[in-house]
């Protein structure tokens, strides 16, 4: 990149005197800039014209002149970075950021948060890790799941505790609950402006059903067809009144059948690298258009170095803006997650129901969760599975724990702290606990839990918590042994209830039984929190701990900032 090369050449001269006025010959400058004397004279003329420096040369070969610097290389890099961002040149801008952490933090400070560029509002979010590829059937990270719902649409979508139309605006079913019609909105388009066809959606749904995850989710589906350009018919082999919720699930988000990064949601993906993820608003989205034109995730782990100051001590605490100036950021919303970290005993001949209940009772009465060495305000012990669903206190009969137990657990890191705390707790009762860590964010089909007596994990719950909990029992490998023996009849009975109230009552009854019988203990919930700088409005936490990108907005500036342009590159 020629502009950056010019800044680097300027910096070589600047470093000779650390910016102080100096006397140099053109020949010496050419040597330091690794170019010819003629080229240096061209650079000096250009740099003087745009106000970078002042040069007073003397006639005669080898004569020294006076060189006075008017700006620093750091100021020029900042200017170059801003210009490239204005022009949408993400890759070139990131080349400018090839700096040590302290300089990187200094340069990024004024660029994060809400900005107006080229008369368009842009919101930049510093993020602490690279993103996984945005493939709805494969996502496990909370941030990626949120992004997928911004980019891709489904036939239906979740809205709070309910489900509503998305690509489809209405649906209906026959009296048996086995024949369903979904009516599509007219004039739908993909992000590449290609018209959306009902046949494409049928093709995608059939492909989803051919995957292991999709087959479990949509196991009752017998046939999918498009009898009309604006209709999709789904026939089931048994009634399933969860079908609208299933079609709103993350696994049923619908990419273009030939272009995996193309969706039809409010935001289109325009840049995806380990350093940056950029979204731009989809002008032909079928709901209200976003109020911001561009969203950017800057993957800058350096900004989260505790030695440099941090705006995000944990992924559930999001900060938009300068991470080193927390006093200027304001907490705009906070909530307790519906999702929870849990402990699940696997009752067997080695580990009885009574012993599982004793283990749960020891955890509940020891206060071990309240004593975990975690940041204050990060978690709160779980007293309810969902609001109004209390966690029962386990009975502790006069029995002993097994002499040994094996615990398998995965991310987040708080579960590692919990596992470490359980080892001495159980040792007090004559039980040696072996801990096995799985470096994943959720249990996968290839997770080997056959040797686990106890399992710990994180159950993410977004919208529609009732369906999410039922789907957890239906699909998670954790519940496979119990599903085959006990759960399947109860889950089928719930799905076949036409009444939403009856499905809710039966679901609560099933989970209360699981907790009472020692199969499940919710451990703690996270405290979601989002910070934003002044001038970024409309930030409201959603159930995933993020915020609705379509509602955020940035008031226009009262006066435009002027930026001195860089010179045209020398041929």
């Amino acid at each position: 990149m020629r502009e950056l090369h010019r800044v680097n050449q300027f910096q070589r001269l600047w470093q000779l005197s650390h910016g102080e006025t100096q006397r140099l010959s053109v020949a010496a400058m050419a040597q330091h800039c690794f170019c010819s004397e003629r080229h240096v004279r061209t650079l000096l003329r250009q740099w003087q014209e745009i106000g970078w420096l002042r040069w007073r040369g003397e006639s005669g070969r080898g004569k020294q002149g006076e060189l006075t610097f008017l700006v620093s290389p750091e100021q020029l890099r900042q200017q170059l970075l801003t210009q490239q961002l204005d022009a949408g040149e993400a890759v070139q801008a990131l080349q400018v950021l090839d700096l040590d952490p302290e300089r990187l933090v200094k340069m990024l400070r004024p660029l994060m948060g809400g900005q107006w560029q080229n008369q368009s509002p842009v919101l930049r979010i510093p993020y602490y890790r690279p993103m996984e590829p945005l493939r709805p059937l494969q996502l496990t990270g909370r941030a990626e799941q949120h992004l997928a719902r911004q980019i891709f649409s489904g036939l239906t979508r979740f809205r709070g505790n309910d489900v509503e139309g998305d690509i489809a605006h209405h649906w209906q079913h026959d009296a048996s609950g086995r024949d369903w019609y979904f009516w599509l909105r007219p004039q739908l388009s993909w992000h590449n402006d290609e018209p959306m066809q009902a046949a494409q959606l049928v093709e995608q749904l059939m492909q989803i059903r051919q995957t292991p995850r999709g087959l479990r989710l949509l196991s009752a589906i017998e046939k999918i067809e498009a009898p009309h350009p604006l209709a999709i018919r789904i026939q089931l082999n048994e009634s399933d009144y969860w079908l609208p919720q299933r079609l709103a699930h993350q696994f049923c988000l619908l990419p273009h059948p030939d272009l995996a990064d193309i969706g039809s949601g409010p935001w289109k993906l325009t840049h995806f690298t380990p350093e940056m993820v950029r979204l731009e608003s989809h002008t032909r989205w079928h709901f209200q258009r976003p109020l911001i034109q561009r969203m950017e995730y800057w993957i800058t782990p350096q900004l989260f170095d505790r030695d440099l100051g941090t705006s995000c001590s944990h992924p559930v605490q999001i900060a938009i803006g300068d991470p080193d100036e927390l006093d200027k950021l304001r907490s705009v919303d906070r909530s307790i997650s519906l999702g929870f970290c849990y402990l699940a005993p696997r009752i067997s001949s080695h580990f009885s129901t009574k012993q599982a209940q004793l283990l749960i009772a020891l955890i509940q009465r020891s206060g071990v969760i309240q004593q975990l060495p975690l940041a204050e305000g990060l978690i709160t012990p779980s007293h309810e599975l969902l609001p109004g669903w209390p966690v029962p206190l386990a009975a502790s009969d006069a029995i002993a724990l097994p002499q040994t137990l094996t615990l398998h657990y995965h991310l987040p890191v708080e579960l590692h702290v919990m596992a470490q705390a359980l080892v001495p707790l159980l040792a007090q009762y004559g039980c040696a606990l072996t801990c096995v860590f799985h470096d994943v964010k959720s249990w996968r089909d290839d997770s080997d839990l056959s040797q686990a007596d106890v399992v710990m994990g994180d159950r993410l719950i977004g919208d529609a918590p009732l369906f999410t909990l039922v789907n957890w029992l239906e699909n998670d490998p954790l519940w496979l042994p119990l599903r085959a023996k006990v759960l399947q009849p109860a889950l089928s009975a719930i799905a076949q209830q036409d009444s939403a109230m009856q499905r809710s009552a039966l679901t609560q009854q099933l989970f209360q039984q699981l907790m009472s019988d020692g199969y499940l203990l919710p451990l703690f919930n996270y405290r979601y929190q989002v910070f934003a700088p002044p001038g970024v409005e409309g930030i409201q936490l959603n159930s995933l701990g993020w915020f609705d990108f379509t509602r955020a907005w940035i008031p226009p500036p009262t006066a435009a900032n002027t930026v001195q342009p860089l010179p045209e590159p020398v041929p």
Side-chain angles (χ1 to χ4, degrees):
M1 186 173 62
R2 290 184 175 180
E3 293 87 349
L4 181 58
H5 180 60
R6 298 292 175 254
V7 173
N8 289 336
Q9 287 179 312
F10 179 85
Q11 183 170 339
R12 294 190 192 103
L13 295 181
W14 190 89
Q15 287 176 333
L16 292 175
S17 62
H18 299 287
E20 298 295 328
T21 299
Q22 57 182 306
R23 293 188 63 80
L24 281 174
S25 67
V26 171
M29 285 188 280
Q31 183 178 4
H32 285 293
C33 290
F34 305 107
C35 62
S36 67
E37 294 184 23
R38 179 181 177 182
H39 189 65
V40 163
R41 294 184 189 279
T42 300
L43 291 177
L44 290 174
R45 185 181 70 254
Q46 287 187 341
W47 292 346
Q48 188 160 240
E49 288 174 353
I50 60 174
W52 287 16
L53 51 74
R54 185 169 57 249
W55 166 248
R56 293 178 179 173
E58 297 183 8
S59 59
R61 186 173 181 83
K63 293 286 186 177
Q64 291 185 336
E66 185 177 86
L67 187 63
T68 302
F69 297 96
L70 304 179
V71 294
S72 70
E74 205 75 11
Q75 290 173 307
L76 296 179
R77 286 180 181 272
Q78 187 78 57
Q79 183 187 106
L80 177 58
L81 177 61
T82 302
Q83 288 179 217
Q84 289 163 341
L85 289 174
D86 286 343
E89 298 172 349
V91 174
Q92 293 86 339
L94 290 169
Q95 290 176 356
V96 179
L97 300 185
D98 185 19
L99 303 169
D100 63 81
E102 290 188 6
R103 291 177 67 198
L104 173 63
V105 170
K106 182 178 179 181
M107 290 188 67
L108 283 180
R109 279 178 186 167
L111 300 174
M112 291 300 173
Q115 305 280 332
W116 275 80
Q117 293 184 346
N118 295 336
Q119 304 301 311
S120 300
V122 179
L123 186 58
R124 296 196 183 96
I125 302 173
Y127 205 60
Y128 72 105
R129 62 168 175 82
M131 296 285 184
E132 304 169 16
L134 300 178
R135 303 290 180 262
L137 276 165
Q138 302 168 11
L139 299 179
T140 56
R142 186 169 53 88
E144 286 85 351
Q145 291 184 43
H146 172 68
L147 274 176
R149 293 190 178 279
Q150 306 296 309
I151 296 170
F152 305 106
S153 302
L155 286 181
T156 59
R157 66 175 187 168
F158 293 129
R159 175 65 71 182
N161 294 329
D162 207 349
V163 64
E164 66 179 13
D166 192 350
I167 293 174
H169 60 86
H170 284 87
W171 59 87
Q172 64 186 56
H173 58 78
D174 67 354
S176 71
R178 296 172 58 183
D179 198 1
W180 294 69
Y181 280 86
F182 291 82
W183 309 108
L184 306 183
R185 300 177 190 275
Q187 299 180 331
L188 292 166
S189 70
W190 299 101
H191 289 157
N192 61 357
D193 293 331
E194 176 186 324
M196 183 183 292
Q197 306 293 332
Q200 293 176 314
L201 305 182
V202 170
E203 178 184 347
Q204 282 297 80
L205 289 170
M206 293 299 293
Q207 289 182 6
I208 290 168
R209 197 177 179 278
Q210 292 170 7
T211 66
R213 288 180 167 184
L215 181 59
R216 286 196 297 266
L217 178 67
L218 305 175
S219 60
I221 290 182
E222 189 172 84
K223 185 178 181 180
I224 309 174
E225 59 182 345
H228 184 275
L230 293 178
I232 289 182
R233 184 185 185 189
I234 300 179
Q235 295 172 281
L236 310 178
N237 52 37
E238 62 180 7
S239 59
D240 182 2
Y241 291 97
W242 288 123
L243 182 59
Q245 284 84 353
R246 296 187 192 281
L247 295 172
H249 192 281
Q250 169 197 318
F251 295 165
C252 288
L253 294 174
L254 299 170
H256 188 287
D258 302 318
L259 304 167
D261 291 329
I262 298 294
S264 59
W267 299 88
K268 55 185 177 182
L269 184 65
T270 60
H271 188 90
F272 189 96
T273 65
E275 298 84 13
M276 174 184 281
V277 176
R278 172 178 285 159
L279 310 179
E280 294 183 4
S281 63
H282 178 33
T283 57
R284 298 181 64 183
W285 189 43
H286 44 274
F287 289 120
Q288 179 182 344
R289 184 177 173 181
L291 303 175
I292 289 177
Q293 184 167 333
R294 197 163 78 220
M295 297 285 304
E296 293 178 349
Y297 285 75
W298 281 73
I299 315 303
T300 49
Q302 300 93 330
L303 296 185
F304 301 93
D305 186 334
R306 294 183 184 277
D307 295 334
L308 299 175
T310 178
S311 66
C312 181
S313 59
H314 191 277
V316 303
Q317 296 175 344
I318 303 165
I320 309 160
D322 180 356
D324 206 32
E325 297 183 1
L326 285 175
D327 57 325
K328 294 183 180 178
L329 299 179
R330 70 196 193 284
S331 176
V332 293
D333 205 356
R334 63 184 68 198
S335 66
I336 302 297
S337 67
L338 284 178
F340 49 84
C341 287
Y342 63 85
L343 178 139
R346 295 165 69 84
I347 296 170
S348 63
S349 57
H350 170 65
F351 190 31
S352 69
T353 296
K354 294 294 184 182
Q355 289 172 321
Q357 292 171 334
L358 173 60
L359 171 62
I360 290 174
L362 293 177
I363 293 172
Q364 287 179 324
R365 296 169 188 175
S366 66
V368 63
I369 296 174
Q370 291 88 335
Q371 298 167 19
L372 293 177
L374 299 173
E376 185 178 355
L378 181 61
I379 65 170
T380 182
S382 301
H383 301 295
E384 297 179 311
L385 182 69
L386 291 179
W389 296 17
V391 176
L393 289 175
S396 55
D397 295 339
I399 58 172
L401 290 172
Q403 291 184 350
T404 62
L405 285 174
T406 300
L407 167 68
H408 286 235
Y409 67 98
H410 61 61
L411 295 167
V413 68
E414 287 73 31
L415 288 180
H416 179 64
V417 178
M418 183 71 190
Q420 290 180 317
L422 288 177
V423 173
L425 174 65
L426 270 59
Q428 298 177 33
Y429 297 89
C431 176
L433 182 67
T434 300
C435 298
V436 179
F437 171 65
H438 296 248
D439 190 14
V440 295
K441 297 175 184 176
S442 62
W443 298 119
R444 305 182 305 202
D445 291 337
D446 60 354
S447 299
D448 183 7
L449 300 177
S450 59
Q451 303 302 313
D453 300 307
V454 186
V455 172
M456 287 198 308
D458 182 16
R459 178 65 260 164
L460 180 64
I461 295 181
D463 295 317
L466 278 175
F467 168 72
T468 302
L469 286 176
V470 167
N471 185 249
W472 183 35
L473 299 183
E474 290 177 335
N475 289 284
D476 199 298
L478 163 69
W479 299 109
L480 181 59
L482 194 62
R483 187 160 60 238
K485 296 177 182 177
V486 177
L487 292 176
Q488 195 56 55
L491 293 171
S492 296
I494 293 171
Q496 293 172 17
Q497 292 292 329
D498 187 11
S499 166
M501 291 183 61
Q502 189 65 15
R503 289 200 302 272
S504 176
L506 291 177
T507 301
Q508 181 177 0
Q509 179 181 328
L510 175 58
F511 273 92
Q512 289 296 143
Q513 192 67 47
L514 288 173
M515 290 189 289
S516 297
D517 290 347
Y519 287 103
L520 175 65
L521 172 66
L523 296 171
F524 51 82
N525 304 76
Y526 284 107
R527 296 180 183 272
Y528 289 154
Q529 199 161 359
V530 61
F531 298 85
V536 179
E537 307 294 340
I539 303 294
Q540 290 184 328
L541 275 171
N542 63 16
S543 54
L544 289 174
W546 279 88
F547 59 94
D548 186 349
F549 289 172
T550 64
R551 302 291 298 275
W553 61 285
I554 304 168
T558 55
N561 293 323
T562 58
V563 178
Q564 181 73 12
L566 288 159
E568 290 295 325
V570 177

